[in-house]
Amino acid sequence: MRKVLVIGYVWPEPRSSAAGSRMLELLGVFRSQGWQVTFASAAALSSHRADLTDLEIEEVAVALNCDSFDAYVAGQQPDLVLFDRFFTEEQFGWRVERAWPAALRVLDTSDLHCLRDARHALHKANQQSRSSEAQRHQVGPALATRDELYAAMAGADMAQREVASIYRCDLTLMISEFEMQLLQEQFGVPAALLHDCALMLIPPTLSEVPFSDRQHFLSIGNFRHAPNWDAVLWLKHALWPLIRARLPQAQLHVYGAYPPPKATALHNPKQGFHVLGWVDDAHRVMAQARVCLAPLRFGAGIKGKLADAMACGTPSVTTTIGSEGMHGAHPWPGAVVDDAQAFADAAVTLHEDSAAWSQAHANAAPLLQQRFDRPRLASELVNRLERLLASREQHRQLNFVGAMLRHHQHKSTQYMSQWIAAKNARDN
């Protein structure tokens, strides 16, 4: 029986974020193979966390900068260690290698953080170039070519850290083909270190709630995720007024985990703008909505809200960044637009025109089948991991850059962590 240790940046919250759904899906794939899975995290427990005991997964709380983790890993002797995002690999990767070097080290990026960070910086620069607050609210998505993105990313601390983490691991799971191309063509990361794995926790059957039984616009997303909060601001100040000018009785329901006071302050029923916050069942409210709005001006990865919209048969209006890596040559089940007026026009058409809505609805099923087929993606992942487990040493010999980066990381991150551990022991 394979033994898998997953080290989580946070405890998985599948009802709060796409990252939580993805982690739960990965855990389910490992358990479906009969593998013994342990989930460890140094994060605080949360009220929205999944109960992993339902999957017969052991939960272990671990400490940062503490040698007790090394002893734990050596005792577990896992075949595979999965790091949830590169921050976790930075903290624990060198400890895993030192305590149990035989373990296959796998990184799940969730999305490419350095890409999201670069686009956020570009978006801020675009806004700051405007002379008034009103003009800043009208700024569209931070669009850039891969070469332009590389120019913005190459010198950034975030990109250097994340790409170094990718090299240090035996394999990195990627969620977006755009990001894989960026890493290979612009950053020169070998294809042997990457695996296309678009697994998401998507309902297996498409919702068939008809156009006539649905109502209202919907927007959803964890408020702690910067692209989601920015999308709400763009909706509030620029997009929703354009939609309401055409549809004076229209209602927008904005859902999402962890809404801060600045978000709930935007709630205005007279304007049809309802900030409703947490919802227990996102798929239920998505299947009742007529149109999903996801005006993302920056970000990365695959957008869980849009995958959910497809699964619920709900047409969506999003941006080029929102749809990135999700549909390939398939028609989008809704509209992809980057201009504010065009966004509003597309939203109104899908809300009012049953024929346009039905065509968008019909586009969802084949896209889900081709791009997010769970059995195929799970089988490909398991097969890739088994091949690497069988040829681990040969694979590592071909990754000299990774070995070099691990060597130098041990001279910095490791010694800093050991200094903190020693200081904590002395203070206690």
Side-chain angles (χ1 to χ4, degrees), residues 87-365:
F87 315 108
T88 304
E89 189 277 335
E90 287 183 328
Q91 287 283 347
F92 294 101
W94 65 270
R95 290 186 176 276
V96 169
E97 183 176 15
R98 185 176 69 172
W100 191 245
L104 195 71
R105 297 182 294 273
V106 180
L107 171 65
D108 182 38
T109 58
S110 186
D111 60 24
L112 202 57
H113 290 67
C114 58
L115 173 60
R116 170 160 37 93
D117 193 60
R119 282 178 168 154
H120 195 178
L122 291 172
H123 177 55
K124 287 180 178 178
N126 289 340
Q127 288 187 314
Q128 290 169 359
S129 68
R130 305 304 171 97
S131 59
S132 69
E133 187 68 17
Q135 289 180 341
R136 284 190 279 274
H137 285 314
Q138 302 301 319
V139 169
L143 302 178
T145 66
R146 287 204 302 266
D147 286 340
E148 290 169 339
L149 288 169
Y150 177 75
M153 297 165 67
D157 176 75
M158 180 79 76
Q160 293 176 6
R161 290 171 56 198
E162 189 164 23
V163 174
S165 180
I166 290 169
Y167 268 104
R168 286 193 298 264
C169 290
D170 297 309
L171 188 69
T172 293
L173 309 184
M174 303 299 300
I175 202 167
S176 161
E177 62 186 7
F178 178 89
E179 295 174 8
M180 288 190 65
Q181 292 168 355
L182 180 68
L183 287 173
Q184 291 178 68
E185 297 177 17
Q186 273 67 39
F187 285 90
V189 176
L193 297 181
L194 305 175
H195 181 75
D196 188 357
C197 182
L199 278 168
M200 299 289 290
L201 197 61
I202 300 171
T205 56
L206 196 70
S207 171
E208 294 300 337
V209 179
F211 175 86
S212 58
D213 291 346
R214 295 172 180 248
Q215 58 181 347
H216 307 318
F217 293 93
L218 172 146
S219 183
I220 190 167
N222 190 318
F223 283 93
R224 289 179 176 174
H225 192 55
N228 292 336
W229 170 236
D230 178 77
V232 171
L233 291 176
W234 199 26
L235 275 168
K236 175 68 175 181
H237 296 293
L239 304 175
W240 187 242
L242 294 173
I243 294 171
R244 281 277 285 193
R246 297 268 304 277
L247 302 175
Q249 302 306 313
Q251 304 289 311
L252 172 62
H253 293 173
V254 182
Y255 296 98
Y258 306 109
K262 64 183 179 181
T264 54
L266 300 180
H267 179 75
N268 191 326
K270 290 183 178 180
Q271 296 176 354
F273 198 93
H274 302 266
V275 180
L276 303 176
W278 169 262
V279 61
D280 281 330
D281 188 346
H283 293 130
R284 175 182 59 81
V285 295
M286 182 70 80
Q288 293 172 347
R290 188 169 287 181
V291 181
C292 171
L293 303 180
L296 294 158
R297 293 190 282 190
F298 63 94
I302 285 177
K303 316 308 181 293
K305 61 181 70 61
L306 294 171
D308 288 343
M310 294 178 205
C312 295
T314 305
S316 61
V317 186
T318 190
T319 61
T320 300
I321 289 173
S323 69
E324 181 180 276
M326 295 194 71
H327 65 114
H330 294 271
W332 186 257
V336 177
V337 287
D338 296 312
D339 172 76
Q341 186 61 60
F343 190 101
D345 291 344
V348 170
T349 296
L350 287 168
H351 191 273
E352 297 296 294
D353 187 334
S354 62
W357 187 95
S358 297
Q359 182 58 61
H361 173 87
N363 288 340

Side-chain angles (χ1 to χ4, degrees), residues 11-22 24 48-50 201 308:
W11 297 94
E13 297 186 14
R15 294 183 299 165
S16 299
S17 69
S21 294
R22 174 173 173 77
L24 203 64
H48 299 319
R49 60 192 286 262
L201 197 61
D308 288 343

Side-chain angles (χ1 to χ4, degrees), residues 25-47:
E25 185 76 336
L26 289 171
L27 294 172
V29 169
F30 297 153
R31 285 295 299 130
S32 71
Q33 302 303 304
W35 296 352
Q36 178 184 327
V37 181
T38 301
F39 190 95
S41 180
L45 300 178
S46 68
S47 58

